[in-house]
Amino acid sequence: MRNKNILSGVFLGNLLFCVSIFASVPVPDAARPGFDTIDPESMKAILTFLAADELEGRDTGHRGLDIAAKFLESQYRLIGLTPAPGQSSMLQSFLIRESRLDTLTNLAIVGPRKKSSAPYALFKDFVALAHLSGDRLIEAPVVFAGFGFTSEEEGYNDFKGLKTAGKILLVFSGTPQFSDSAGIKQFSIAPATFREGRNKAAIAKDAGAAALVIVNDRFLSRNEALTRRWLNRTSVKLVDDSDDLPLLYVTTRLADSLLESNGWTCERLRAKILAKQSSQSFELKKTHLAIDLKVHAETKSTQNVVAYLEGCDPVLKEEVVAFGAHYDHVGVDGSGDVFNGADDDGSGTTGMLEIARAFAKNFERPRRSLLFVSHTGEEKGLLGSRYYTDHPLVPLTNTVAQLNMDMIGRNDSNSVYIIGSDFLSSELHQVSLAANAIVGMNFDYTFNDKTDPNRFYYRSDHYNYARHGIPIVFYFSGVHEDYHKVTDTVDKINFDKMARIARLVYLTGWNVANREARPKVDHNFTDEP
């Protein structure tokens, strides 16, 4: 009993010490009315609507998301916000294209005298990844391009001497790597990475290829039912985006059938490359590939919701502090189960609406104007934020910072992951810390790393602002067992935590909006590694 009392006394002393620190940094008087207005019960009411079954998982381009957009617009108008300057509506509409690969897609090897093999089986012998605006039939010569890799430093070039324009490129999975041990140069092949297909497809597209074929048995060895479900998902892009380069993964067995007329097998080619420590690329003679891609494509309309609160300073009000969250989720699956997306990102959307209400409650508006952007299409590849930053309603040169909330309602009740606050602006990072001196949350910088394998910095809407040189802070409470599952529901949300994060973002925004100078950009933006 005595030891327990001693520990309790120590804990109480530390708690009072922490409280005294935070109590010594008061909320600015002008910001106090709004700060006190942020209410967990209010947030619960909003999120209960946004994450209801009736909104059908808020899928981009679908009815449930459109209902959510109109709800958000009505709520912003009720609290006194307006459309962005020069706009009559808060809905920034744009077109997207949905596409889905049909199971009738097939592939055949065309040999001498145009004799074709029997079609190979989708999902068993090959899979195809392509976002296309319609069907595509490709019949072209095949060029074996090693690993589809070049390195000027090491003098390695899989494309040297190859004529690739209009050809189908056949490459191995994996990447050559070089090391030096005791003065002896070592050559090996690193396994495929998460981004391998996209990286190699970009190189192949720049080389003018008609398609890219990667030999990768592991990709096709997974459970066929799971592969079918994954590839049958609808992919979505902005309607003005160009078609992807068709990308196929094939089995070694299929690749060997293609190579045999040239006297090679995959095993022998890999062995030769390793032995020679150099590329062994060549154009295949006598054989072509015929790839018949069947694609269902449909154009739809969707929208960001953009609300504006004018600042009070006659000069600084031309600048804005942007707040962001994505209000879309992943919809309904084939069996009719609704993915409500309460945390992802109903929580951030709710937090942003509550922050807007807090600013509107203040008797004194901040000096700079505020912009609240509910992005659509985040789950489809950050589409809404890319569209907004490519078609801004307030010039990006006048956007001084962007504060993004994505999944802020789960996990440790007093902890929040802070990502990117110091990537572009040391000053914004200090503003973030100053706001937290009042709120007192535990800042976790575990994922504040551009090389973090989870890649969270690249996976939410703030990224599209950062690529334009706008300082950002990303607030994130972490993934959990319900991430992208039908079990991400309102009953599991910690609304007290959501309210604390909303107060933190509110105070950070207040500080940025009232500073004499915008946060200085003292670091350069770097793209994805």
Side-chain angles (χ1 to χ4, degrees), residues 158-216:
D158 277 324
F159 295 92
K160 186 177 181 180
L162 289 180
K163 295 181 180 179
T164 55
K167 309 290 178 64
I168 296 172
L169 299 191
L170 175 69
V171 303
F172 290 146
S173 178
T175 303
Q177 60 182 3
F178 304 85
S179 59
D180 196 315
S181 178
I184 301 174
K185 188 176 180 180
Q186 303 291 325
F187 178 87
S188 59
I189 305 300
T193 64
F194 171 77
R195 292 172 51 81
E196 179 191 54
R198 194 167 89 175
N199 290 341
K200 291 186 177 181
I203 295 170
K205 189 172 185 178
D206 288 343
L212 175 66
V213 176
I214 299 178
V215 184
N216 188 330

Side-chain angles (χ1 to χ4, degrees), residues 107 126-129 211-215 246-250 291 293:
L107 178 154
F126 77 98
V127 293
L129 307 175
L212 175 66
V213 176
I214 299 178
V215 184
L247 168 62
L248 289 80
Y249 290 87
V250 303
I291 305 169
L293 297 165

